[in-house]
Amino acid sequence: HDRFFSAARLAYRQGTFSPETEQQILESTMTKDPKLQKMVKQYFTPEDYFKLRDRMIGSGAIGGKACGMLLARKIIRTHLPEYLRFHEPHDSFYIGSDVFYTYIVSNNCWETRIAQRTDEGYFKQADALKQALLSGTFPSNIQEKFRTLLDYYSQSPIIVRSSSFLEDGFGNAFAGKYESVFCVNRGTLEERLQAFEDAVRQVYASTMDISALEYRKLQGLEHHDEQMAVLVQRVSGSYYGNYFFPAAAGVGYSRSLYKLDKDMDPSAGLLRIVAGLGTRAVDRTENDYPRLVNLDRPSVSMYPNTADRHRFSQRNLDVLDIENNALVTLPLESLLPSLPRWLKQGIMERDEEAENALRRMGRQREVWFITCQGLLENKDFTEFMQKTLKTLEKAYENPVDIE
């Protein structure tokens, strides 16, 4: 793998980058899907392939999620250059799918994996393989590359994300089926390495989660060889006291499944926005409400009065606890004292009716609740979101969703 890329890089520097070389890179590193291959060839340059290889640990493919992320970024940078000022550079790493195989073989899990892939063992052997994947060790050469990755990120929070062969393909998104694990990434290098390895193990083991197995069977994919690559990304956000999180995050859909108002256009797209980490926008949360936004009228709320907007608002935030090295869920009230006023004004509203009621009882305090209204009144943001979704939908010739 390394020799092939070295030879390809040398040939490119000498003025040659053949279609056969590009096809081999696509087949071995990015995707075997003919439609996606055609799209990647349209948007990628040879430099893009070499940059990708420079960020890889091990060999094999980077998986569907990583491929989709890189392709989407190239599409947007090509078709929406006026928004490049908003596009932060990413510095992701990719753990190749061959590392997954190496891990299975080096921990004597291969026979269990073969047994699990039979019709009889598909569910029966899953738990045994899952436990083996959770308790294995990584070869020393892979551990050394993990240390280099952690040295690069220093003590910035990172997220370890599944990027399997079948994820984010046409017709099977696998949304929420495999694990993503946050690493607060604090402590000594060995402590951070232990936490990082545990996160990768969790991602590998999630291939044997019952929900993932059932989804693969439902999609007719139970006999496909599901290999797991890993996408490692820096977490976006800022420090507020002992906690780290972004002001807001969410998911977007190029076609809305909700018609929030009879006059709204579902083809304009939909956002689910939350304050804090985007986990609460992806996962269903009991008695807590993300902000649903139809992009043809983004600043319009479903609720006409302040009382209802407050009642059906987000009450808890997912954040990274720096002191305790953990992902935690905290009530908004506990975070308010550490939040700057500009942040409150951007993602929250004041409930003046509640404040007046408290004042009559002799209690003076501000009452804030999350609506992300300030963000949604920012036309730069909402227009960028709508154009992004429409541009990706047009390029894919298929409805899309983004994080």
Side-chain angles (χ1 to χ4, degrees), residues 189-226:
L189 178 58
E190 291 309 308
E191 288 170 340
R192 292 188 289 129
L193 177 63
Q194 180 65 50
F196 181 78
E197 289 184 349
D198 286 345
V200 177
R201 290 187 189 97
Q202 282 181 253
V203 171
Y204 284 172
S206 68
T207 58
M208 291 296 108
D209 284 350
I210 292 300
S211 62
L213 294 171
E214 289 175 341
Y215 184 81
R216 292 209 296 269
K217 199 171 186 68
L218 185 67
Q219 298 291 321
L221 301 169
E222 67 270 28
H223 297 300
H224 282 63
D225 186 16
E226 177 65 309

Side-chain angles (χ1 to χ4, degrees), residues 75-93:
I75 292 169
I76 296 307
R77 293 180 73 83
T78 300
H79 293 296
L80 296 177
E82 67 272 27
Y83 288 106
L84 288 181
R85 66 189 189 280
F86 297 137
H87 237 212
E88 291 185 353
H90 77 95
D91 55 356
S92 307
F93 279 87

Side-chain angles (χ1 to χ4, degrees), residues 34 44 69 76 101 132 149 160 178 181 191 214 242 266 330 342:
F44 271 53
M69 182 269 291
I76 296 307
Y101 270 163
L149 177 152
V160 178
Y178 298 139
V181 183
E191 288 170 340
E214 289 175 341
N242 289 324
L330 297 176
W342 65 263

